[in-house]
Amino acid sequence: MRKLFFLCLLSSLSLSALAEGFLTRLLNKPVPGGVAVIGLPEQPQAPRARYRDNPLLIVREDGTRWIAIAGIPLNTSPGTEHIVLADGTRVPFSVKPREYESQHITLKNQQQVTPDAARLKRIQRELSEQTSAYQTFSPRQPSNLLFDRPVDGRLSSAFGLRRFFNGEERNPHSGLDFAASAGTPIQTPAAGRVILVGDYFFNGKTVFVDHGQGLISMVCHLSAVDVQVGDELERGAKLGKVGATGRATGPHLHWNVSLNNVRVDPAIFIGSFTP
Ligand code: ZN
C-alpha cells in the first residue's frame, strides 16, 4: 500500500513537471521587477488579458497551454496580484520578495544630477517620447523569448540597483549594463521593428525595438546608431556601437527590457537571473 502511494506521488510530480514547460522555467521569476508566467484557461483562440490596464504578452507553451507573461513593477509589494481576462475573470498570482542593492556614482557634471529649468524641459519632452514608445503593443509574436545577448561583455551593473548620484538618490537602475569597449557592435536580442531612435540628455544615443505584444528592448549610450525608425530587423541585426553618450561614466551598454509597459530585469531573458 505504501509503495502504491509512493508511485502515485511520483507520477503526480512528473505530471506537474510536464505542465511547467520551458518558457515557464525560464521566465517565471515573480518578484518586484521580475516576470510572472500565468497559465490561462484552454480555448481555441489566444485569450486576451491585462495587468494594471496594460495588455499582456500571451503565447502557447509547448503546444499544450496558453500562458500570460506579465512584467511586475519594481515598486510592487510582495503579496497577491491579479491579471484580468477579457471576460472580467481575475486570475491571481503571488509576488515574492527580492532585495536590491545600492550603488553610489560620482558625476563631475552636477547638471546630470540636478538639471536646471531649461534642461528639465528637454528631459520632460524626451521622457514622454520614450514613455509612449514603451506603450506600443503590436500583434506580432516575439521571434524568441530566450534572448540573445545584445553585446559581448560581462554584466557590470544589475537591474534594480538603488542609485545615488553624488549622494542624492535618483531612480533605480531600469536595465542591465554590460562592460564593453567603445565601438563594440550591438545586436538586437530578437527580431523586431525599430520604433524610436533618439539622442537624449540622460540616455544619449538610443534605439527602441518592438519585439511584439508589448515586449520592447531599449539600448542606450551608443556612440553610433545603424538603424532608422520603421526598419524591420531580423534576429541578431546590428543596432549600432557601444559608447558613453548621455549620463554615462564610461563606455558600456545599458539595455532595458519592457513588458506590458513595465521595465523588468533583462537578465531573466538571457538565463542569467539571480534571485
Ligand atoms: Zn545602466
Side-chain angles (χ1 to χ4, degrees), residues 163 173 176-177 221 252 254:
R163 293 184 308 175
H173 194 218
L176 182 62
D177 288 351
H221 304 313
H252 70 281
H254 174 103

